Amino acid sequence: MAATGPESPKAVTSPRDSENASTSAGKWIHYGGVEIRTRLGGENGAFDGQDRMLSMRADRHKDAASRDPDDFDALYSWALVLQEQAERAEAKGADASRRSDLLAKACARYDAAHRCRPRSHSTLYNWGIALGDRARMSADAPTARQLWGEACDKYRAAVECDVAKTQSTQALNNWGLALQQLATVSRERDEKRRRLLAAVGRFREAIRRDPSFHRAVYNLGTIMYALSEMARSTGGGGGGGPGGGGRRKRNADADAEDDDSDSDADADDSDDGSDDGGSHSGGDDAHGVGAESAPRTPAALQTAAATYICCAQASPGARPVYASSLRLVRRCLPAPALRAGTLLASPPSLPTATSGCWRERRFVLDHEAFWTAPGEGGDDDADDDADDADDRRGLGPLGSWASVPRPTPARGFADADPNDATTTTTTTAPASSGGTRWGVHVNMEDVVSVQPCADASLPRPGHGFRVGLRDGRGHFFVARSEAEREGWVDALTLTRALVCGGRGDALRRELANAGRASQ
């Protein structure tokens, strides 16, 4: 499956420099009020005006750092220029040793800047990019593993610095990409799978913080596809594969308030990022990452991959590679729905759900709503399709339960593969005397939040999530496994973001295409 290529980091020239500079041979450029003529007839690898400006800026920052070794701005800006020089050298086909030397110097400057301002998010983030660039250049597998591990450490520290969780989406995405690269250079299959599952948690947290970040959505889809290929070859979970995403340097301006911090955000447990492959449940662990869980069967993993890639393709700014990747897995979608499966739910109108009220229902999520599929599961009387359609139309925002006779207890799921998110076996309990049909129908435009939750009062197995509505109400649902719960939360979160962003029709078109492809 093709992956998106990384974006080039933001240029480090100032707006004035960018406005007046020209890299075409024979042109005049202006720098500091002085006219400088670029080299005539420049060849590949030759210095041009932009290179000269970068060299002058590097010298200026070097002089400032020499005068004051604790000048954070000088050290940080110097590192940015060195990194930009390395990227330009790569684009012009310069010798690899020169690029490696520039990146090593940039890392040294980031290290010095980090000591001046330990909680600078942008320093740690850009340092991680430089380490990743060095790892990509390394032909030695142990060295590459070490550098990718160090990059993971820097991204993790950057995420930990972002207490407000407003700046770290890109860091989480790049952390996931670094873990994915660690998986490709890992020697053991179990280690590869562990790295990929760790990457799942980073991409998942990125999209929970910013559901419109389509690169992380797509990357999560490629991870699921890679795991499906590993599962197909071994009969169990695992895999490895390419991911995509973007890299973007951050501005140091946002870090000005961190000057007085004396805590070291770069405290790590290992030098090779090995602890990044561990399992975390939920999104509230010490590193602020999402659940590192995924379905285990190839079919369920490919369905998950199709779900994420479909949402990425429906997003504004979707890249061509999303469409080509979606063609590989589109047939796995439960078209015309985005996701379908069995959940435990209680009647929406009950103020308190008692243990005997929970029922299995088959739920469907499409571009408009999250709703109970007609005629699936539950303790209903015999009915026909017309009654089912009438029930759905009459459910209202959160369904209805006209009378509340105590239903036959049906706590928990029927026997099924707990690791397969596509299993839809349901339990049918006998109808209670005077029982009333009920279901859930939630318009996505009314949803304000979707959160996983752990509550001892929820029925077994307790993998619950809550859908919060605009009017303050909400409803709990219980999945049969953590992987299934996280899949529902992701799908609902992404669908809500698309609908609220005016992309509901785009999602509808992609699902319609999937329906035609599966015929």
Side-chain angles (χ1 to χ4, degrees), residues 480-519:
R480 59 167 51 89
S481 68
E482 181 186 55
E484 187 174 356
R485 187 263 307 276
E486 297 301 320
W488 275 110
V489 173
D490 288 344
L492 286 161
T493 299
L494 294 172
T495 302
R496 172 187 175 272
L498 289 170
V499 170
C500 293
R503 301 292 294 180
D505 283 343
L507 180 58
R508 176 188 58 79
R509 288 193 296 270
E510 295 302 331
L511 293 175
N513 291 337
R516 287 191 290 269
S518 62
Q519 292 177 355

mmCIF file of all heavy atoms in Angstrom, residues 480-519:
data_model
loop_
_atom_site.group_PDB
_atom_site.id
_atom_site.type_symbol
_atom_site.label_atom_id
_atom_site.label_comp_id
_atom_site.label_asym_id
_atom_site.label_seq_id
_atom_site.Cartn_x
_atom_site.Cartn_y
_atom_site.Cartn_z
ATOM 1 N N ARG A 480 -17.338 -5.745 22.809
ATOM 2 C CA ARG A 480 -16.865 -7.021 23.337
ATOM 3 C C ARG A 480 -15.356 -7.055 23.545
ATOM 4 O O ARG A 480 -14.842 -7.986 24.151
ATOM 5 C CB ARG A 480 -17.282 -8.170 22.412
ATOM 6 C CG ARG A 480 -16.778 -8.060 21.003
ATOM 7 C CD ARG A 480 -16.960 -9.380 20.253
ATOM 8 N NE ARG A 480 -18.306 -9.904 20.358
ATOM 9 C CZ ARG A 480 -19.304 -9.618 19.523
ATOM 10 N NH1 ARG A 480 -19.092 -8.756 18.540
ATOM 11 N NH2 ARG A 480 -20.480 -10.151 19.662
ATOM 12 N N SER A 481 -14.617 -6.079 23.036
ATOM 13 C CA SER A 481 -13.168 -6.053 23.224
ATOM 14 C C SER A 481 -12.691 -4.612 23.171
ATOM 15 O O SER A 481 -13.394 -3.722 22.678
ATOM 16 C CB SER A 481 -12.458 -6.875 22.143
ATOM 17 O OG SER A 481 -12.581 -6.252 20.875
ATOM 18 N N GLU A 482 -11.489 -4.384 23.682
ATOM 19 C CA GLU A 482 -10.928 -3.039 23.628
ATOM 20 C C GLU A 482 -10.726 -2.595 22.186
ATOM 21 O O GLU A 482 -10.996 -1.445 21.835
ATOM 22 C CB GLU A 482 -9.596 -2.989 24.373
ATOM 23 C CG GLU A 482 -8.973 -1.599 24.375
ATOM 24 C CD GLU A 482 -7.582 -1.571 24.978
ATOM 25 O OE1 GLU A 482 -6.717 -2.341 24.503
ATOM 26 O OE2 GLU A 482 -7.357 -0.786 25.907
ATOM 27 N N ALA A 483 -10.246 -3.505 21.341
ATOM 28 C CA ALA A 483 -10.009 -3.143 19.942
ATOM 29 C C ALA A 483 -11.301 -2.714 19.263
ATOM 30 O O ALA A 483 -11.328 -1.739 18.502
ATOM 31 C CB ALA A 483 -9.378 -4.319 19.199
ATOM 32 N N GLU A 484 -12.390 -3.429 19.538
ATOM 33 C CA GLU A 484 -13.666 -3.071 18.927
ATOM 34 C C GLU A 484 -14.157 -1.731 19.465
ATOM 35 O O GLU A 484 -14.667 -0.892 18.713
ATOM 36 C CB GLU A 484 -14.692 -4.168 19.199
ATOM 37 C CG GLU A 484 -15.999 -3.964 18.460
ATOM 38 C CD GLU A 484 -16.948 -5.132 18.638
ATOM 39 O OE1 GLU A 484 -16.549 -6.133 19.272
ATOM 40 O OE2 GLU A 484 -18.085 -5.034 18.152
ATOM 41 N N ARG A 485 -14.014 -1.518 20.775
ATOM 42 C CA ARG A 485 -14.419 -0.244 21.367
ATOM 43 C C ARG A 485 -13.655 0.921 20.744
ATOM 44 O O ARG A 485 -14.233 1.941 20.368
ATOM 45 C CB ARG A 485 -14.174 -0.295 22.878
ATOM 46 C CG ARG A 485 -14.698 0.912 23.670
ATOM 47 C CD ARG A 485 -13.613 1.955 23.949
ATOM 48 N NE ARG A 485 -12.431 1.457 24.570
ATOM 49 C CZ ARG A 485 -12.263 1.268 25.882
ATOM 50 N NH1 ARG A 485 -13.239 1.509 26.721
ATOM 51 N NH2 ARG A 485 -11.095 0.840 26.340
ATOM 52 N N GLU A 486 -12.326 0.774 20.623
ATOM 53 C CA GLU A 486 -11.521 1.855 20.057
ATOM 54 C C GLU A 486 -11.875 2.099 18.592
ATOM 55 O O GLU A 486 -11.860 3.241 18.121
ATOM 56 C CB GLU A 486 -10.035 1.530 20.202
ATOM 57 C CG GLU A 486 -9.555 1.415 21.640
ATOM 58 C CD GLU A 486 -9.776 2.687 22.435
ATOM 59 O OE1 GLU A 486 -9.568 3.786 21.882
ATOM 60 O OE2 GLU A 486 -10.170 2.589 23.610
ATOM 61 N N GLY A 487 -12.195 1.036 17.868
ATOM 62 C CA GLY A 487 -12.607 1.203 16.478
ATOM 63 C C GLY A 487 -13.891 2.003 16.349
ATOM 64 O O GLY A 487 -14.022 2.863 15.470
ATOM 65 N N TRP A 488 -14.859 1.729 17.233
ATOM 66 C CA TRP A 488 -16.101 2.498 17.212
ATOM 67 C C TRP A 488 -15.857 3.961 17.573
ATOM 68 O O TRP A 488 -16.398 4.874 16.940
ATOM 69 C CB TRP A 488 -17.114 1.891 18.190
ATOM 70 C CG TRP A 488 -17.919 0.761 17.635
ATOM 71 C CD1 TRP A 488 -17.830 -0.557 17.967
ATOM 72 C CD2 TRP A 488 -18.948 0.845 16.641
ATOM 73 N NE1 TRP A 488 -18.730 -1.305 17.244
ATOM 74 C CE2 TRP A 488 -19.433 -0.464 16.425
ATOM 75 C CE3 TRP A 488 -19.496 1.891 15.914
ATOM 76 C CZ2 TRP A 488 -20.449 -0.744 15.513
ATOM 77 C CZ3 TRP A 488 -20.509 1.611 15.000
ATOM 78 C CH2 TRP A 488 -20.973 0.312 14.806
ATOM 79 N N VAL A 489 -15.052 4.191 18.605
ATOM 80 C CA VAL A 489 -14.780 5.574 19.015
ATOM 81 C C VAL A 489 -14.098 6.335 17.881
ATOM 82 O O VAL A 489 -14.451 7.484 17.579
ATOM 83 C CB VAL A 489 -13.924 5.599 20.295
ATOM 84 C CG1 VAL A 489 -13.488 7.027 20.625
ATOM 85 C CG2 VAL A 489 -14.709 5.020 21.473
ATOM 86 N N ASP A 490 -13.116 5.708 17.231
ATOM 87 C CA ASP A 490 -12.441 6.367 16.114
ATOM 88 C C ASP A 490 -13.412 6.674 14.981
ATOM 89 O O ASP A 490 -13.430 7.785 14.435
ATOM 90 C CB ASP A 490 -11.308 5.488 15.587
ATOM 91 C CG ASP A 490 -10.113 5.428 16.526
ATOM 92 O OD1 ASP A 490 -10.026 6.285 17.424
ATOM 93 O OD2 ASP A 490 -9.275 4.521 16.363
ATOM 94 N N ALA A 491 -14.210 5.679 14.596
ATOM 95 C CA ALA A 491 -15.125 5.862 13.468
ATOM 96 C C ALA A 491 -16.154 6.954 13.761
ATOM 97 O O ALA A 491 -16.450 7.799 12.902
ATOM 98 C CB ALA A 491 -15.824 4.541 13.142
ATOM 99 N N LEU A 492 -16.706 6.955 14.963
ATOM 100 C CA LEU A 492 -17.678 7.985 15.331
ATOM 101 C C LEU A 492 -17.030 9.365 15.382
ATOM 102 O O LEU A 492 -17.606 10.363 14.925
ATOM 103 C CB LEU A 492 -18.299 7.645 16.684
ATOM 104 C CG LEU A 492 -19.323 6.499 16.680
ATOM 105 C CD1 LEU A 492 -19.524 5.942 18.083
ATOM 106 C CD2 LEU A 492 -20.655 6.980 16.104
ATOM 107 N N THR A 493 -15.816 9.437 15.935
ATOM 108 C CA THR A 493 -15.114 10.721 16.028
ATOM 109 C C THR A 493 -14.820 11.287 14.647
ATOM 110 O O THR A 493 -15.032 12.483 14.384
ATOM 111 C CB THR A 493 -13.803 10.540 16.815
ATOM 112 O OG1 THR A 493 -14.103 10.094 18.146
ATOM 113 C CG2 THR A 493 -13.030 11.846 16.892
ATOM 114 N N LEU A 494 -14.333 10.442 13.744
ATOM 115 C CA LEU A 494 -13.986 10.907 12.405
ATOM 116 C C LEU A 494 -15.229 11.283 11.606
ATOM 117 O O LEU A 494 -15.235 12.286 10.880
ATOM 118 C CB LEU A 494 -13.191 9.827 11.677
ATOM 119 C CG LEU A 494 -11.806 9.524 12.261
ATOM 120 C CD1 LEU A 494 -11.195 8.305 11.588
ATOM 121 C CD2 LEU A 494 -10.880 10.726 12.116
ATOM 122 N N THR A 495 -16.290 10.492 11.737
ATOM 123 C CA THR A 495 -17.522 10.808 11.017
ATOM 124 C C THR A 495 -18.106 12.126 11.504
ATOM 125 O O THR A 495 -18.555 12.961 10.703
ATOM 126 C CB THR A 495 -18.549 9.684 11.189
ATOM 127 O OG1 THR A 495 -17.983 8.456 10.725
ATOM 128 C CG2 THR A 495 -19.813 9.975 10.399
ATOM 129 N N ARG A 496 -18.105 12.322 12.817
ATOM 130 C CA ARG A 496 -18.607 13.587 13.360
ATOM 131 C C ARG A 496 -17.805 14.764 12.811
ATOM 132 O O ARG A 496 -18.371 15.801 12.427
ATOM 133 C CB ARG A 496 -18.530 13.568 14.881
ATOM 134 C CG ARG A 496 -18.856 14.908 15.518
ATOM 135 C CD ARG A 496 -18.616 14.920 17.013
ATOM 136 N NE ARG A 496 -18.837 16.253 17.550
ATOM 137 C CZ ARG A 496 -17.902 17.197 17.624
ATOM 138 N NH1 ARG A 496 -16.676 16.938 17.203
ATOM 139 N NH2 ARG A 496 -18.181 18.386 18.121
ATOM 140 N N ALA A 497 -16.470 14.621 12.761
ATOM 141 C CA ALA A 497 -15.636 15.711 12.257
ATOM 142 C C ALA A 497 -15.939 16.002 10.791
ATOM 143 O O ALA A 497 -15.992 17.164 10.374
ATOM 144 C CB ALA A 497 -14.160 15.359 12.438
ATOM 145 N N LEU A 498 -16.144 14.961 9.997
ATOM 146 C CA LEU A 498 -16.452 15.165 8.583
ATOM 147 C C LEU A 498 -17.809 15.840 8.412
ATOM 148 O O LEU A 498 -17.958 16.776 7.613
ATOM 149 C CB LEU A 498 -16.427 13.824 7.850
ATOM 150 C CG LEU A 498 -15.043 13.185 7.667
ATOM 151 C CD1 LEU A 498 -15.180 11.756 7.159
ATOM 152 C CD2 LEU A 498 -14.191 14.010 6.705
ATOM 153 N N VAL A 499 -18.802 15.375 9.153
ATOM 154 C CA VAL A 499 -20.142 15.956 9.037
ATOM 155 C C VAL A 499 -20.135 17.413 9.485
ATOM 156 O O VAL A 499 -20.676 18.294 8.804
ATOM 157 C CB VAL A 499 -21.151 15.129 9.858
ATOM 158 C CG1 VAL A 499 -22.495 15.848 9.947
ATOM 159 C CG2 VAL A 499 -21.334 13.748 9.242
ATOM 160 N N CYS A 500 -19.514 17.687 10.623
ATOM 161 C CA CYS A 500 -19.478 19.064 11.130
ATOM 162 C C CYS A 500 -18.631 19.969 10.242
ATOM 163 O O CYS A 500 -18.827 21.187 10.224
ATOM 164 C CB CYS A 500 -18.943 19.082 12.561
ATOM 165 S SG CYS A 500 -20.037 18.282 13.759
ATOM 166 N N GLY A 501 -17.696 19.390 9.508
ATOM 167 C CA GLY A 501 -16.869 20.168 8.598
ATOM 168 C C GLY A 501 -17.449 20.290 7.201
ATOM 169 O O GLY A 501 -16.759 20.753 6.284
ATOM 170 N N GLY A 502 -18.695 19.862 7.022
ATOM 171 C CA GLY A 502 -19.335 19.969 5.719
ATOM 172 C C GLY A 502 -18.885 18.924 4.718
ATOM 173 O O GLY A 502 -19.073 19.106 3.509
ATOM 174 N N ARG A 503 -18.310 17.807 5.204
ATOM 175 C CA ARG A 503 -17.814 16.769 4.301
ATOM 176 C C ARG A 503 -18.658 15.501 4.364
ATOM 177 O O ARG A 503 -18.214 14.431 3.936
ATOM 178 C CB ARG A 503 -16.364 16.435 4.654
ATOM 179 C CG ARG A 503 -15.415 17.608 4.560
ATOM 180 C CD ARG A 503 -15.235 18.068 3.134
ATOM 181 N NE ARG A 503 -14.578 17.064 2.318
ATOM 182 C CZ ARG A 503 -14.302 17.217 1.029
ATOM 183 N NH1 ARG A 503 -14.655 18.339 0.407
ATOM 184 N NH2 ARG A 503 -13.698 16.261 0.344
ATOM 185 N N GLY A 504 -19.874 15.612 4.878
ATOM 186 C CA GLY A 504 -20.747 14.451 4.936
ATOM 187 C C GLY A 504 -21.053 13.888 3.560
ATOM 188 O O GLY A 504 -21.085 12.666 3.362
ATOM 189 N N ASP A 505 -21.270 14.761 2.576
ATOM 190 C CA ASP A 505 -21.549 14.293 1.219
ATOM 191 C C ASP A 505 -20.343 13.591 0.611
ATOM 192 O O ASP A 505 -20.495 12.627 -0.152
ATOM 193 C CB ASP A 505 -21.966 15.470 0.334
ATOM 194 C CG ASP A 505 -23.398 15.910 0.591
ATOM 195 O OD1 ASP A 505 -24.152 15.119 1.200
ATOM 196 O OD2 ASP A 505 -23.763 17.031 0.194
ATOM 197 N N ALA A 506 -19.147 14.078 0.933
ATOM 198 C CA ALA A 506 -17.942 13.419 0.426
ATOM 199 C C ALA A 506 -17.837 12.005 0.980
ATOM 200 O O ALA A 506 -17.492 11.061 0.254
ATOM 201 C CB ALA A 506 -16.701 14.235 0.795
ATOM 202 N N LEU A 507 -18.154 11.842 2.268
ATOM 203 C CA LEU A 507 -18.141 10.502 2.854
ATOM 204 C C LEU A 507 -19.226 9.637 2.228
ATOM 205 O O LEU A 507 -19.006 8.451 1.950
ATOM 206 C CB LEU A 507 -18.334 10.604 4.368
ATOM 207 C CG LEU A 507 -18.345 9.283 5.137
ATOM 208 C CD1 LEU A 507 -17.052 8.505 4.923
ATOM 209 C CD2 LEU A 507 -18.567 9.530 6.626
ATOM 210 N N ARG A 508 -20.397 10.220 1.989
ATOM 211 C CA ARG A 508 -21.480 9.465 1.349
ATOM 212 C C ARG A 508 -21.049 8.947 -0.020
ATOM 213 O O ARG A 508 -21.319 7.792 -0.373
ATOM 214 C CB ARG A 508 -22.720 10.355 1.209
ATOM 215 C CG ARG A 508 -23.884 9.690 0.475
ATOM 216 C CD ARG A 508 -25.007 10.675 0.201
ATOM 217 N NE ARG A 508 -24.552 11.817 -0.582
ATOM 218 C CZ ARG A 508 -24.364 11.792 -1.896
ATOM 219 N NH1 ARG A 508 -24.582 10.669 -2.579
ATOM 220 N NH2 ARG A 508 -23.956 12.876 -2.531
ATOM 221 N N ARG A 509 -20.365 9.789 -0.795
ATOM 222 C CA ARG A 509 -19.918 9.362 -2.125
ATOM 223 C C ARG A 509 -18.913 8.216 -2.034
ATOM 224 O O ARG A 509 -18.973 7.267 -2.829
ATOM 225 C CB ARG A 509 -19.305 10.549 -2.871
ATOM 226 C CG ARG A 509 -20.326 11.579 -3.337
ATOM 227 C CD ARG A 509 -19.710 12.553 -4.319
ATOM 228 N NE ARG A 509 -18.653 13.353 -3.705
ATOM 229 C CZ ARG A 509 -18.854 14.513 -3.102
ATOM 230 N NH1 ARG A 509 -20.090 15.005 -3.004
ATOM 231 N NH2 ARG A 509 -17.844 15.192 -2.585
ATOM 232 N N GLU A 510 -17.993 8.305 -1.081
ATOM 233 C CA GLU A 510 -17.011 7.228 -0.943
ATOM 234 C C GLU A 510 -17.683 5.922 -0.531
ATOM 235 O O GLU A 510 -17.314 4.845 -1.018
ATOM 236 C CB GLU A 510 -15.946 7.615 0.085
ATOM 237 C CG GLU A 510 -15.090 8.804 -0.312
ATOM 238 C CD GLU A 510 -14.355 8.589 -1.621
ATOM 239 O OE1 GLU A 510 -14.041 7.426 -1.956
ATOM 240 O OE2 GLU A 510 -14.101 9.586 -2.322
ATOM 241 N N LEU A 511 -18.669 6.006 0.356
ATOM 242 C CA LEU A 511 -19.378 4.798 0.774
ATOM 243 C C LEU A 511 -20.221 4.240 -0.370
ATOM 244 O O LEU A 511 -20.343 3.017 -0.523
ATOM 245 C CB LEU A 511 -20.255 5.104 1.988
ATOM 246 C CG LEU A 511 -19.495 5.461 3.275
ATOM 247 C CD1 LEU A 511 -20.469 5.873 4.374
ATOM 248 C CD2 LEU A 511 -18.639 4.292 3.740
ATOM 249 N N ALA A 512 -20.800 5.128 -1.179
ATOM 250 C CA ALA A 512 -21.565 4.663 -2.339
ATOM 251 C C ALA A 512 -20.649 3.961 -3.333
ATOM 252 O O ALA A 512 -21.009 2.924 -3.912
ATOM 253 C CB ALA A 512 -22.275 5.840 -3.002
ATOM 254 N N ASN A 513 -19.459 4.501 -3.537
ATOM 255 C CA ASN A 513 -18.491 3.847 -4.421
ATOM 256 C C ASN A 513 -18.099 2.478 -3.882
ATOM 257 O O ASN A 513 -17.920 1.522 -4.639
ATOM 258 C CB ASN A 513 -17.245 4.718 -4.573
ATOM 259 C CG ASN A 513 -17.512 5.978 -5.362
ATOM 260 O OD1 ASN A 513 -18.457 6.045 -6.143
ATOM 261 N ND2 ASN A 513 -16.682 6.996 -5.162
ATOM 262 N N ALA A 514 -17.971 2.396 -2.553
ATOM 263 C CA ALA A 514 -17.640 1.110 -1.944
ATOM 264 C C ALA A 514 -18.764 0.109 -2.164
ATOM 265 O O ALA A 514 -18.527 -1.083 -2.398
ATOM 266 C CB ALA A 514 -17.372 1.294 -0.452
ATOM 267 N N GLY A 515 -20.014 0.591 -2.076
ATOM 268 C CA GLY A 515 -21.146 -0.295 -2.313
ATOM 269 C C GLY A 515 -21.156 -0.837 -3.728
ATOM 270 O O GLY A 515 -21.420 -2.021 -3.960
ATOM 271 N N ARG A 516 -20.850 0.017 -4.693
ATOM 272 C CA ARG A 516 -20.804 -0.441 -6.089
ATOM 273 C C ARG A 516 -19.646 -1.402 -6.311
ATOM 274 O O ARG A 516 -19.762 -2.368 -7.064
ATOM 275 C CB ARG A 516 -20.689 0.763 -7.019
ATOM 276 C CG ARG A 516 -21.978 1.576 -7.131
ATOM 277 C CD ARG A 516 -21.892 2.578 -8.256
ATOM 278 N NE ARG A 516 -20.963 3.653 -7.943
ATOM 279 C CZ ARG A 516 -21.312 4.782 -7.340
ATOM 280 N NH1 ARG A 516 -22.571 4.978 -6.993
ATOM 281 N NH2 ARG A 516 -20.418 5.722 -7.094
ATOM 282 N N ALA A 517 -18.516 -1.145 -5.638
ATOM 283 C CA ALA A 517 -17.349 -2.008 -5.818
ATOM 284 C C ALA A 517 -17.580 -3.404 -5.259
ATOM 285 O O ALA A 517 -17.002 -4.380 -5.738
ATOM 286 C CB ALA A 517 -16.128 -1.376 -5.152
ATOM 287 N N SER A 518 -18.436 -3.508 -4.231
ATOM 288 C CA SER A 518 -18.665 -4.805 -3.599
ATOM 289 C C SER A 518 -19.721 -5.629 -4.306
ATOM 290 O O SER A 518 -19.935 -6.791 -3.961
ATOM 291 C CB SER A 518 -19.072 -4.599 -2.136
ATOM 292 O OG SER A 518 -20.294 -3.877 -2.050
ATOM 293 N N GLN A 519 -20.409 -5.032 -5.282
ATOM 294 C CA GLN A 519 -21.466 -5.758 -5.987
ATOM 295 C C GLN A 519 -20.880 -6.724 -7.012
ATOM 296 O O GLN A 519 -19.824 -6.496 -7.566
ATOM 297 C CB GLN A 519 -22.400 -4.765 -6.673
ATOM 298 C CG GLN A 519 -23.227 -3.945 -5.688
ATOM 299 C CD GLN A 519 -24.088 -2.914 -6.378
ATOM 300 O OE1 GLN A 519 -24.019 -2.727 -7.595
ATOM 301 N NE2 GLN A 519 -24.920 -2.235 -5.606
#
